[in-house]
């Protein structure tokens, strides 16, 4: 089974996606983490070819680069911005997509990102596109991560990132034609999880 969740930064793809993946025993893949790992490699001058997505038995595959397991190091806004710049390059996108396709060929997956329903898994069983106002997304980011930045500053960064992700030539952020589009601006996380659970139940 393949479920995809796409949408802009800060909309809640990760928190909601993780809950749905756990509930339905799907491997949970955050494609943004792969772009972030490649940004980390660039910043630390590490070989991008050494990137490994190790499925193991856990629901969330491990990300390893040059023997280092990456975790919280990938969460900063600076890494996110660098990732979004790198994500414009075809070579980077192919590197990421082939790793996702490999796991999706072996396991039932929930993959979240920007182009999963449109490009990476176009035949997925269920495609979701989550949206929310930029102010609300900035608020969610502020609550989610330890950051000195104000909501306004986060909002400015998200706006820049959205623009770059939506306007790039390759695999821009947009809903797939057959995606279920959900505006989550005034929904609680629980509401979104329930809605997605209902949709997922109906394909199993
Ligand atoms: O989702 P996250 O914020 O971790 O993603 C970091 C960046 O990686 C995004 O801003 C986007 O530019 C890029 N990305 C992408 N395609 C995906 C997932 C992420 O271009 N499927």
């Amino acid at each position: 089974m393949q479920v995809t969740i796409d949408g802009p930064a800060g909309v809640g793809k990760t928190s909601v996606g993780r809950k749905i993946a756990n509930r339905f025993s799907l491997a949970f893949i955050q494609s943004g983490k792969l772009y972030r790992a490649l940004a980390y490699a660039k910043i630390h001058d590490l070989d991008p070819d050494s990137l490994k997505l190790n499925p193991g038995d856990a629901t969330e595959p491990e990300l390893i680069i040059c023997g280092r397991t990456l975790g919280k190091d990938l969460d900063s806004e600076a890494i996110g911005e660098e990732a979004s710049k790198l994500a414009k390059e075809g070579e980077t996108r192919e590197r990421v997509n082939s790793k996702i396709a490999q796991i999706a060929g072996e396991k039932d997956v929930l993959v979240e990102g920007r182009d999963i329903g449109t490009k990476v898994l176009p035949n997925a069983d269920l495609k979701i596109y989550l949206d929310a106002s930029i102010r609300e997304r900035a608020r969610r980011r502020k609550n989610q991560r330890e950051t000195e930045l104000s909501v306004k500053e986060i909002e400015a960064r998200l706006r820049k990132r959205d623009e770059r992700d939506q306007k790039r030539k390759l695999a821009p952020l947009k809903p797939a034609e057959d995606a279920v589009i959900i505006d989550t601006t005034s929904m609680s996380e629980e509401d979104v999880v329930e809605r997605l659970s209902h949709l997922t139940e109906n394909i199993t």
Side-chain angles (χ1 to χ4, degrees):
M1 179 163 86
Q2 295 180 346
V3 177
T4 67
I5 304 181
D6 289 300
V11 77
K13 301 183 295 292
T14 299
S15 34
V16 167
R18 180 173 283 131
K19 289 190 172 154
I20 299 294
N22 283 335
R23 202 174 273 190
F24 292 89
S25 303
L26 307 170
F28 179 49
I29 300 169
Q30 296 166 252
S31 59
K33 285 255 159 140
L34 286 147
Y35 290 96
R36 284 171 183 264
L38 292 173
Y40 180 92
K42 186 167 180 205
I43 290 167
H44 293 88
D45 205 16
L46 301 170
D47 178 10
D49 279 333
S50 72
L51 178 65
K52 286 201 180 74
L53 188 60
N54 179 15
D57 291 331
T59 23
E60 298 187 34
E62 265 184 344
L63 265 178
I64 300 164
I65 201 149
C66 284
R68 291 184 208 177
T69 302
L70 300 176
K72 284 235 169 279
D73 349 56
L74 302 181
D75 283 348
S76 72
E77 290 296 331
I79 290 268
E81 260 169 58
E82 187 60 38
S84 147
K85 287 181 196 157
L86 264 185
K88 290 201 285 189
E89 296 170 10
E91 195 187 349
T92 302
R93 305 204 71 82
E94 276 165 32
R95 201 173 251 137
V96 168
N97 293 348
S98 69
K99 303 227 177 289
I100 297 172
Q102 194 183 343
I103 294 208
E106 293 163 3
K107 293 181 167 225
D108 289 335
V109 288
L110 186 155
V111 188
E112 59 101 330
R114 305 290 189 290
D115 62 338
I116 311 303
T118 52
K119 299 272 174 208
V120 186
L121 301 175
N123 299 317
D125 304 283
L126 173 64
K127 299 178 186 178
I128 312 274
Y129 187 91
L130 296 182
D131 211 348
S133 73
I134 190 147
R135 174 54 58 92
E136 177 58 22
R137 288 189 280 127
R139 269 199 220 108
R140 289 178 191 173
R141 267 282 143 96
K142 176 80 182 162
N143 291 338
Q144 201 181 33
R145 293 186 182 170
E146 281 169 37
T147 172
E148 304 280 291
L149 298 176
S150 68
V151 172
K152 271 212 153 143
E153 284 164 329
I154 298 176
E155 189 178 319
R157 287 180 182 223
L158 289 180
R159 195 180 302 279
K160 239 170 77 197
R161 198 129 76 82
D162 281 356
E163 236 185 65
R164 202 181 288 127
D165 290 346
Q166 283 164 342
K167 290 193 176 153
R168 68 174 176 232
K169 276 207 195 103
L170 287 173
L173 166 67
K174 63 173 181 193
E177 276 177 15
D178 51 349
V180 180
I181 301 173
I182 304 172
D183 183 344
T184 67
T185 307
S186 48
M187 289 171 82
S188 69
E189 188 179 299
E190 291 73 37
D191 289 343
V192 182
V193 170
E194 284 320 309
R195 176 86 203 280
L196 265 55
S197 286
H198 184 67
L199 291 165
T200 310
E201 263 158 22
N202 284 332
I203 55 163
T204 48

